[in-house]
Amino acid sequence: MSYLTLMYLHLATVVPSFVIGTLVLLIKKGTKIHVVLGRVYMILMLITAAITLFMPADVGPTIFNHFGWIYSFSFLTLYTVPTAYLAIKKGNVKAHKRKMILLYFGAIIIAGGFTFTPGRYLYNLFFS
């Protein structure tokens, strides 16, 4: 699969993740809609993180000639989503909440913000 195809697949999963994640953070917790949207958000985040692992870094230094520093957010996502899910299944609301807030701000806000730096696709799309 080409880099461009992977990038568009990534955008197709991360943009709805941003919208749904924002809604889930804003609505009342524990409701049916929170649970349903939360599951969709988690699935989309896992998919988007997995997609990025197949995209070689083309900006900045790399590890193993493939992964850039921004990939740490992908690994954060692949760890955080299952552990947040297990936490809520065990009734540990505090751990679930902490992990989901960390996921949203780390993988969506911070990592997403870095995609607008010079040399990246979104920077070129919006600022060039």
Side-chain angles (χ1 to χ4, degrees):
M1 199 172 291
S2 75
Y3 181 87
L4 199 59
T5 302
L6 290 168
M7 182 188 64
Y8 287 129
L9 286 172
H10 175 61
L11 285 172
T13 55
V14 79
V15 170
S17 292
F18 170 71
V19 173
I20 294 168
T22 303
L23 288 172
V24 170
L25 283 175
L26 295 175
I27 64 176
K28 185 176 182 191
K29 309 306 178 258
T31 62
K32 184 69 174 169
I33 191 72
H34 172 85
V35 172
V36 170
L37 287 177
R39 286 180 181 162
V40 172
Y41 172 70
M42 288 177 143
I43 291 166
L44 285 171
M45 288 300 290
L46 287 173
I47 293 168
T48 201
I51 289 169
T52 64
L53 298 179
F54 295 97
M55 300 168 63
D58 59 351
V59 175
T62 61
I63 300 169
F64 305 123
N65 204 27
H66 182 84
F67 300 107
W69 60 268
I70 200 166
Y71 289 78
S72 60
F73 293 105
S74 299
F75 293 112
L76 169 76
T77 300
L78 293 172
Y79 168 78
T80 303
V81 169
T83 59
Y85 179 78
L86 291 174
I88 201 63
K89 283 298 175 190
K90 292 178 180 177
N92 191 344
V93 175
K94 186 177 178 181
H96 173 77
K97 179 179 179 180
R98 184 179 67 248
K99 288 171 182 287
M100 295 311 293
I101 290 171
L102 171 70
L103 177 68
Y104 182 82
F105 285 98
I108 298 284
I109 302 301
I110 295 172
F114 282 120
T115 64
F116 288 94
T117 57
R120 296 199 171 272
Y121 175 77
L122 290 180
Y123 176 86
N124 293 332
L125 182 67
F126 286 98
F127 303 114
S128 292

